[in-house]
Amino acid sequence: PLPTARGGLAATTVNNKAMFGGGAAVSGYTNIVEIYDGDTNQWLLESQNLPSGPRGALSAASVGDVAIFAGGQNSDGIL
């Protein structure tokens, strides 16, 4: 399971790492990005944050070595 329970998140993969970003947790929208390493079969200890702030119902894609999280909604509305 994900280290941080939430719904409405986005996921993508880069270099055998699965990245799960944003979403709605019990406390509200989150900007956390958690990374699972398929080579070690473990969650990375350090988490990242979405630079654009907390959001849910977003989308994610990968291009080469870059993960992109875009769109979604936050407490102000649709982004």
Side-chain angles (χ1 to χ4, degrees):
L2 284 168
T4 305
R6 59 198 192 269
L9 67 160
T12 190
T13 59
V14 173
N15 296 329
N16 211 30
K17 291 181 175 62
M19 301 176 184
F20 302 87
V26 174
S27 59
Y29 292 114
T30 180
N31 66 342
I32 194 168
V33 177
E34 293 171 319
I35 303 169
Y36 180 80
D37 188 330
D39 292 330
T40 64
N41 200 31
Q42 295 182 5
W43 290 96
L44 297 180
L45 295 178
E46 74 281 354
S47 61
Q48 305 294 316
N49 290 316
L50 296 171
S52 52
R55 60 187 60 218
L58 64 162
S59 296
S62 299
V63 179
D65 292 344
V66 178
I68 302 165
F69 292 90
Q73 63 185 37
N74 64 16
S75 57
D76 295 327
I78 295 175
L79 304 170

